[in-house]
């Protein structure tokens, strides 16, 4: 009787569970049994592994073979277990030393010719292995850079099963020929899901292939929306842009991700893990260093926004926008069910998706930008534009954005039509993205210094109790906000959010303490009621 074991990782959402792959050989009729709650793609690994072992020059054991995946209670899916199954079978057949693979985590799909194909989710899988105490992993050569992002892990990237056998048996490693030049690498097909990327709104439209990067200087006029955009980026506050078609709402939103500071190392790992599982991580770019941008179409379902799918839930748009921007253009056209599903992640920074196959917790700390027209035709606020929408239709259209959802939006700005002087450049170009991004970085640095020693880094994350007890404002600064609370203009949540925005405005003007003018600016940005204060975030 022969026995050997190797290790792999089962992904549940973006979290991994180390799975022990056990292979047992017993005398009897040749058979291959796979147990341990595998799905259809994993059951098919029996044929892939057998063909890969034979085509790699090794002998397939003609005995009763049982492969168990432990713990058996965890659902297992995908083809990433192939490499671990093949190694355990070869160890049980004594082709390789079982002791060499007992504490090695192996992730990869096998082709019928023995080549090791890359799979999605390598980074979260290696992170789970490191947290479990493993120090060695074997991954496909194409994803070795992604696995190497995890500190304290020894990574071996292999191109074929033959190479892995040679390394484990201390034999000369054979050279594997590369694919022919001038055509796409078929080995990378497992990393990207067809239909994802630019076509589904995962990058600003203006950055598509022509080398031009969106810049705030391209936006004509729109001083107040530009300043609201800066406040949103500096404090991580959600933003609503409302106005007629063609005023520049989409242009502003597409330039917000470039204003956000670069991701920290921990944030980059979080974002890369989500994108790796979702199959949108570009090959050759193992680490996402810039804030992501996700703009789903208004026909998106609730499952595509918050996550879902058959079996184990997959990340949705809120998770793909983690640490970045989620832009909902034509927001009233989204279904009410989909919009209201955003309430929980907007508050908690994560989304919990429950399905029959299990409950998954996915990260979803994003900056939401809503764009809305005033009415179905978009001309309701324009003088002499000929809006023919009845008042009841306008009310119903504007009511599609529910009160509880809008209560979670810190900044609400009217985007007015651009006049001729601004459109023709007679008023001069506005500030560039680089200039605004520098102010945003300085403001975030001041907020991080003030919040040092706490679990929060931006003003939008600070709970209301801490705002009122730990971060004290100037005496009398909240008088206007308290009056609005008594009149019903603000809710208790709204008061906390006004205070958060006020701290961001103070950070942008390099002040150590927020005062009444900062609160007035925050109230004007939230309610749209003029307060008689200058809107320049860095001016007084």
């Amino acid at each position: 009787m022969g026995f050997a074991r190797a290790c792999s990782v089962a992904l549940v959402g973006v979290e991994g569970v180390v799975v022990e792959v056990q292979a047992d050989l017993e005398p009897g009729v040749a058979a291959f049994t796979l147990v341990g709650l595998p799905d259809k793609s994993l059951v098919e690994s029996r044929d892939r592994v057998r063909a890969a072992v034979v085509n790699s020059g090794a002998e397939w054991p003609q005995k009763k073979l049982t492969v168990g995946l432990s713990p058996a209670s965890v659902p297992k899916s995908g083809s990433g277990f192939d490499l671990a199954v093949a190694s355990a079978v070869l160890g049980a057949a004594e082709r390789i030393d079982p002791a060499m693979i007992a504490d090695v985590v192996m992730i990869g799909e096998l082709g019928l010719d023995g080549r090791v194909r890359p799979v999605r989710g390598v980074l979260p899988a290696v992170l789970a292995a490191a947290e479990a105490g493993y120090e060695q992993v074997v991954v496909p050569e194409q994803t070795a850079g992604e696995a190497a992002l995890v500190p304290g892990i020894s990574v071996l990237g292999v191109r074929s099963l033959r190479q892995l056998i040679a390394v484990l048996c201390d034999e000369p490693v054979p050279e594997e020929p590369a694919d022919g030049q001038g055509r796409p690498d078929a080995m990378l097909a497992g990393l990207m899901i067809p239909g994802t990327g630019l076509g589904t709104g995962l990058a600003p439209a203006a950055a598509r292939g022509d080398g031009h990067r969106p810049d705030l200087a391209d936006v004509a006029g729109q001083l107040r929306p530009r300043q609201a955009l800066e406040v949103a980026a500096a404090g991580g506050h959600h933003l609503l842009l409302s106005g007629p078609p063609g005023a520049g709402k989409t242009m502003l939103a597409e330039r917000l991700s470039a204003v956000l500071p670069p991701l920290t190392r921990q944030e980059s790992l979080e974002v890369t893990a989500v994108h790796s599982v979702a199959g949108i991580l570009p090959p050759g770019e193992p680490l996402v260093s810039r804030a992501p941008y996700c703009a789903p179409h208004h026909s998106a379902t609730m499952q595509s926004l918050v996550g879902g799918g058959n079996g184990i839930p997959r990340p949705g748009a809120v998770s793909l926008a983690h640490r970045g921007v989620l832009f909902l253009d034509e927001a009233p056209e989204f279904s009410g069910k989909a919009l209201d599903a955003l309430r929980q992640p907007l508050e908690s920074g994560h989304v919990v998706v429950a399905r029959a196959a299990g409950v998954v917790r996915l990260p979803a700390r994003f900056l939401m930008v809503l764009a809305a027209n005033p009415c179905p035709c978009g001309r309701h606020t324009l003088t002499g534009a000929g809006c023919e929408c009845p008042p009841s239709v306008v009310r119903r259209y504007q009511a599609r954005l529910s009160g509880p959802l809008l209560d979670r939006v810190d900044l609400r700005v009217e985007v007015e039509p651009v006049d001729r002087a601004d459109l023709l450049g007679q008023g001069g170009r506005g500030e560039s993205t680089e200039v605004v991004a520098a102010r945003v970085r300085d403001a975030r640095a001041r907020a991080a210094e003030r919040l040092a020693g706490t679990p929060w880094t931006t003003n939008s994350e600070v709970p209301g109790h801490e705002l009122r007890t730990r971060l004290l404002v100037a005496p009398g600064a909240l008088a206007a906000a308290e009056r609005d609370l008594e009149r019903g203009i603000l809710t208790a949540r709204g008061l906390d959010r006004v205070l958060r925005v006020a701290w961001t405005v103070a950070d942008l003007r390099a002040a150590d303490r927020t005062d009444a003018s900062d609160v007035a600016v925050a109230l004007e940005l939230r309610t749209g009621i003029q307060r008689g204060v200058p809107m320049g975030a860095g001016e007084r």
Side-chain angles (χ1 to χ4, degrees), residues 229 232-233 239 251-260 325 367 369:
L229 205 73
L239 173 65
M251 283 188 69
L252 288 163
E254 287 181 341
R255 284 148 180 79
L256 179 56
S257 60
V259 177
L260 295 176
V325 177
L367 196 165
V369 180

Side-chain angles (χ1 to χ4, degrees), residues 59 103 130 141 143 145-146 164 167 184 215 302 335 362 391 400 453 456 515:
E59 183 179 352
D103 295 320
E141 187 180 56
T143 58
E146 184 180 343
L164 178 60
V167 171
D215 195 294
M302 184 185 72
S335 70
L362 300 169
R400 292 180 183 178
W456 316 294
D515 56 20

Side-chain angles (χ1 to χ4, degrees), residues 196-498:
T196 60
L198 296 176
T200 52
L202 290 167
R208 298 179 185 178
D210 56 3
H212 173 69
R213 297 183 63 85
D215 195 294
L216 270 176
D218 301 332
V219 180
Q222 305 299 359
L223 178 61
R224 180 169 299 193
R226 286 170 59 100
Q227 293 165 343
L229 205 73
E230 183 176 341
V231 173
H237 306 290
H238 306 303
L239 173 65
L240 168 64
L241 299 173
S242 57
K249 302 185 294 294
T250 303
M251 283 188 69
L252 288 163
E254 287 181 341
R255 284 148 180 79
L256 179 56
S257 60
V259 177
L260 295 176
L263 302 178
T264 64
R265 175 74 177 185
Q266 180 60 34
E267 292 171 347
S268 294
L269 290 177
E270 294 174 5
V271 174
T272 304
V274 175
H275 288 200
S276 179
V277 170
I280 61 172
L281 192 64
E285 298 180 16
L287 186 66
V288 179
S289 59
R290 297 295 304 174
Y293 172 91
C294 186
H297 192 259
H298 60 75
S299 61
T301 62
M302 184 185 72
Q303 289 76 14
S304 67
L305 281 181
V306 301
N310 296 326
I312 297 297
R314 301 291 297 274
V318 297
S319 297
L320 300 181
H322 180 59
R323 302 294 182 184
V325 177
L326 176 67
F327 176 47
L328 302 183
D329 200 3
E330 306 293 345
E333 300 295 341
F334 283 79
S335 70
K337 186 178 180 182
L339 288 175
D340 289 338
L342 299 176
R343 297 184 196 175
Q344 184 237 348
L346 284 175
E347 288 290 324
S348 62
H350 64 267
V351 59
V352 178
V353 183
R355 295 291 184 270
V359 179
V360 173
R361 185 179 186 270
L362 300 169
R365 187 168 295 282
F366 55 90
L367 196 165
M368 182 180 69
V369 180
L370 303 174
N373 293 326
C375 67
C377 75
R379 301 190 296 270
H380 179 65
T381 56
L382 299 179
T383 303
C387 175
E388 298 179 355
C389 301
S392 59
V393 172
V394 175
R395 285 195 301 270
R396 282 197 301 268
Y397 184 80
Q398 296 178 351
R400 292 180 183 178
L401 298 179
S402 65
L405 177 64
L406 291 179
D407 198 34
R408 291 164 167 84
V409 178
D410 304 336
L411 313 173
R412 307 172 191 175
V413 181
E414 290 287 338
V415 182
E416 302 292 342
V418 183
D419 58 28
R420 183 178 61 181
D422 288 330
L423 191 60
L424 298 179
Q426 298 174 5
R429 287 169 61 88
E431 291 180 320
S432 66
T433 296
E434 184 179 358
V435 174
V436 176
R439 285 202 301 267
V440 169
R441 286 195 300 269
D442 293 341
R444 287 215 175 190
R446 279 188 284 272
E449 182 180 357
R450 182 174 62 252
L451 299 173
T454 70
W456 316 294
T457 56
T458 60
N459 294 321
S460 62
E461 301 173 0
V462 183
H465 175 72
E466 294 290 330
L467 283 170
R468 295 186 295 270
T469 58
R470 176 187 175 94
L471 305 178
L472 300 179
V473 301
L478 291 177
E482 291 170 353
R483 286 196 298 270
D484 284 358
L485 180 66
E486 293 175 354
R487 295 170 182 170
I489 299 176
L490 287 180
T491 63
R493 180 192 288 117
L495 178 63
D496 290 341
R497 291 185 175 274
V498 165

Side-chain angles (χ1 to χ4, degrees), residues 142-168:
Q142 291 86 347
T143 58
E146 184 180 343
L149 297 173
V150 182
I153 288 288
S154 175
V155 179
L156 173 62
V158 295
R159 188 175 294 180
S160 68
L161 183 59
R162 285 181 291 270
Q163 289 185 342
L164 178 60
I165 295 173
V167 171
L168 295 175

